[in-house]
Amino acid sequence: MKLVLMGNAGAGKTTLSRKLAAGRDIPCLSLDQVAFTAGVHRRPLADSIKAVLDFIAANDNWIIEGCYADIIEPILAHCETLVFLNPGLHACIDHCRKRPWEPEKIRFASRAGAESGKLDRLGVCVRTTKGRIWLATTPAFV
């Protein structure tokens, strides 16, 4: 399996990747892990792409999930299947509000830091970021 799961924040990419990998020897990579340095600053794009290509080279089977089209596009030739998850804008926002604490993905110093309102910014991002609006409004095909 060489699968890329793409969709907006809160679309269910991580949940689906964990379910698909459960009981199998299939490593999963969240693009959040390679898109950012420590903190909330984006890594140089070339560094992120190299990290993903290194992950692909090190594994016969894999699942990669994320919402970063600039990282996904250059690695598409390596995947067998691309799945676009789109439960709709309101579902994504609701999922972001209810999501469990994922310190490996949401880089705040503590859960308290995320809960102090910073995590709400993710919902704002889902609603307003240019380039993601179409992700939230395109009819689902998965």
Side-chain angles (χ1 to χ4, degrees), residues 86-134:
N86 185 11
L89 174 63
H90 298 294
C92 289
I93 292 169
D94 188 53
H95 294 162
C96 287
R97 286 186 181 131
K98 293 178 180 176
R99 75 185 331 154
W101 176 239
E102 298 172 299
E104 72 280 4
K105 291 177 63 178
I106 302 170
R107 291 171 169 71
F108 297 114
S110 68
R111 181 178 182 89
E115 291 173 344
S116 69
K118 294 177 184 171
L119 192 52
D120 287 340
R121 293 182 196 160
L122 186 57
V124 171
C125 180
V126 170
R127 270 192 238 83
T128 61
T129 302
K130 185 177 180 181
R132 289 192 185 175
I133 294 171
W134 72 271

Side-chain angles (χ1 to χ4, degrees), residues 31-79:
L31 293 181
D32 290 332
Q33 296 171 317
V34 300
F36 295 93
T37 60
V40 295
H41 301 286
R42 280 288 304 258
R43 289 172 74 178
L45 180 58
D47 293 351
S48 296
I49 294 167
K50 181 181 182 321
V52 176
L53 291 173
D54 290 347
F55 173 82
I56 289 170
N59 298 286
D60 292 329
N61 294 292
W62 44 262
I63 300 171
I64 296 171
E65 55 96 352
C67 61
Y68 307 97
D70 57 350
I71 299 173
I72 292 172
E73 185 177 10
I75 61 109
L76 282 177
H78 300 278
C79 83

